[in-house]
Amino acid sequence: MTTPSADGARPASAGRASSADSDVTAATDGTDAMDATDSTPDPAGEQEQAQEQAQAQAPAPAPATQAADTQPLLRLTNIGKNFGPVRVLMDINLDIPPGLVTAVVGDNGAGKSTLIKTISGIYQPDGGEIRWQGRQVHLHSPKDATDLGIATVYQDLALCDNLDIVANMFLGREETKFGQLDELGMEKTAKQTLADLSVVTVRSVRQPVGSLSGGQRQAVAVARAVMRQAKLVILDEPTAALGVTQTRVVLDLIRRLKSQNIAVIVISHNLNDVQSVADRIAVLRLGRLVAVGPAAQYDAESIVDLMTTGTSKRLAAVPAEQSGSSSEH
């Protein structure tokens, strides 16, 4: 809307001399008329000044990037999965924020493996919606998930024991130079990736994977995922069957992924490991998400209660985000 001009806002007679004083006005040099005009109140000018003062006092608008920062990296809405008449997942609503560790816990048969295989593109959901960075996606294969930046490290790690670390990290995507394998380039990249993750227990990147310990094998599998520019790494039982020292290596590795702003989903039965690294905890029971929220709101006893009965009296008040019967969104 155009602001009225000062002339249009004043009365028609403002700044004019009357007919009786016309001779006097003609004799003057116009100074009196100018003084009269300047001293006349200007409503339009006062309105503009008030608007400028209000804008100066108003809080600055939030930058556009702030909304993007709060947007979840991955959002699952009403995800369902059936195998024949068996309903394995029912109305799963879950957000995975960037740069945080989300632990998904539950008893055997709760639907944890089905959930991560749905996120990884192995299974297609029978209902619901998957959004990646705010955009709806359809994952028809593991390659679709990998192309988005979703990497899954399964419990068996999918490593070839007879190949060395470099060959495993580049398996299926070997680099070539002048029509031949670029062995030096791949070795340099493998060393740098392991160094970025502070993996210092590996003696040589040319040693066979079959000679590595459990924690070292996990490190190689995770490094392979990170090397592919993963934004979300899913770890399926990463500390299963590991000793105390190797478990510490894997947990430190998860913390380093978080420090690199990589989102992590950890599937684990070990609640001590979960509570040591998780920022958020999601509890599944019989295919339903019964609770999800900040890890600080849960202790081991309440998690066990939720896993076995779906509720816990140890939680004094269950916020909306934690309620399995209501949507997160």
Side-chain angles (χ1 to χ4, degrees):
M1 180 177 67
T2 305
T3 303
S5 63
D7 292 337
R10 292 198 302 267
S13 60
R16 297 181 184 176
S18 63
S19 57
D21 298 332
S22 58
D23 295 336
V24 178
T25 303
T28 63
D29 58 358
T31 303
D32 293 341
M34 292 177 62
D35 292 341
T37 303
D38 292 340
S39 61
T40 303
D42 190 351
E46 293 177 356
Q47 183 179 4
E48 291 179 356
Q49 184 177 3
Q51 290 177 351
E52 292 176 356
Q53 292 177 352
Q55 292 176 356
Q57 296 175 357
T65 55
Q66 184 174 355
D69 291 340
T70 59
Q71 176 177 274
L73 180 67
L74 175 70
R75 168 165 287 179
L76 307 179
T77 305
N78 297 327
I79 293 296
K81 180 63 182 176
N82 304 329
F83 291 107
V86 180
R87 300 185 66 187
V88 184
L89 296 177
M90 290 167 280
D91 299 326
I92 301 296
N93 294 299
L94 180 64
D95 286 353
I96 305 298
L100 296 181
V101 179
T102 302
V104 178
V105 298
D107 205 353
N108 291 334
K112 303 186 301 299
S113 296
T114 303
L115 178 62
I116 64 171
K117 288 180 180 179
T118 301
I119 298 174
S120 302
I122 296 177
Y123 295 151
Q124 285 73 54
D126 295 318
E129 179 182 85
I130 299 177
R131 286 189 172 272
W132 177 259
Q133 295 181 320
R135 179 173 58 90
Q136 184 177 2
V137 295
H138 300 279
L139 305 177
H140 300 290
S141 68
K143 184 179 184 303
D144 292 342
T146 302
D147 291 342
L148 290 177
I150 301 174
T152 305
V153 180
Y154 294 99
Q155 191 171 351
D156 60 6
L157 303 180
L159 298 175
C160 298
D161 290 347
N162 61 317
L163 299 179
D164 61 27
I165 295 175
V166 176
N168 270 278
M169 290 180 64
F170 284 90
L171 190 62
R173 53 186 300 272
E174 291 81 1
E175 296 180 354
T176 59
K177 188 176 183 180
F178 304 119
Q180 297 181 344
L181 288 177
D182 186 9
E183 295 285 357
L184 293 178
M186 290 189 292
E187 181 175 330
K188 181 179 179 181
T189 302
K191 288 181 178 179
Q192 184 61 50
T193 304
L194 292 172
D196 290 342
L197 293 174
S198 300
V199 179
V200 296
T201 58
V202 175
R203 184 179 69 255
S204 170
V205 294
R206 287 302 182 181
Q207 66 183 108
V209 166
S211 65
L212 301 178
S213 65
Q216 291 171 329
R217 291 164 64 90
Q218 276 284 354
V220 171
V222 171
R224 178 174 60 186
V226 173
M227 191 176 63
R228 298 181 182 182
Q229 304 300 316
K231 299 177 182 177
L232 168 62
V233 176
I234 304 174
L235 301 176
D236 182 16
E237 298 289 351
T239 60
L242 295 183
V244 176
T245 302
Q246 298 303 323
T247 296
R248 188 182 299 112
V249 171
V250 174
L251 297 181
D252 288 342
L253 191 62
I254 294 173
R255 296 186 184 99
R256 293 188 193 101
L257 291 175
K258 174 185 173 181
S259 68
Q260 296 180 11
N261 201 37
I262 297 175
V264 182
I265 296 178
V266 178
I267 310 296
S268 180
H269 285 91
N270 192 318
L271 298 184
N272 291 329
D273 295 345
V274 164
Q275 292 179 304
S276 67
V277 296
D279 299 296
R280 303 174 73 248
I281 294 178
V283 184
L284 287 174
R285 180 178 182 271
L286 301 178
R288 292 186 181 275
L289 186 66
V290 297
V292 58
Q297 295 180 356
Y298 302 90
D299 57 15
E301 290 79 5
S302 62
I303 295 174
V304 172
D305 290 343
L306 292 166
M307 289 169 55
T308 55
T309 67
T311 60
S312 176
K313 295 182 180 179
R314 298 181 64 88
L315 300 177
V318 181
E321 186 190 10
Q322 292 180 289
S323 174
S325 59
S326 64
S327 172
E328 285 188 75
H329 315 297

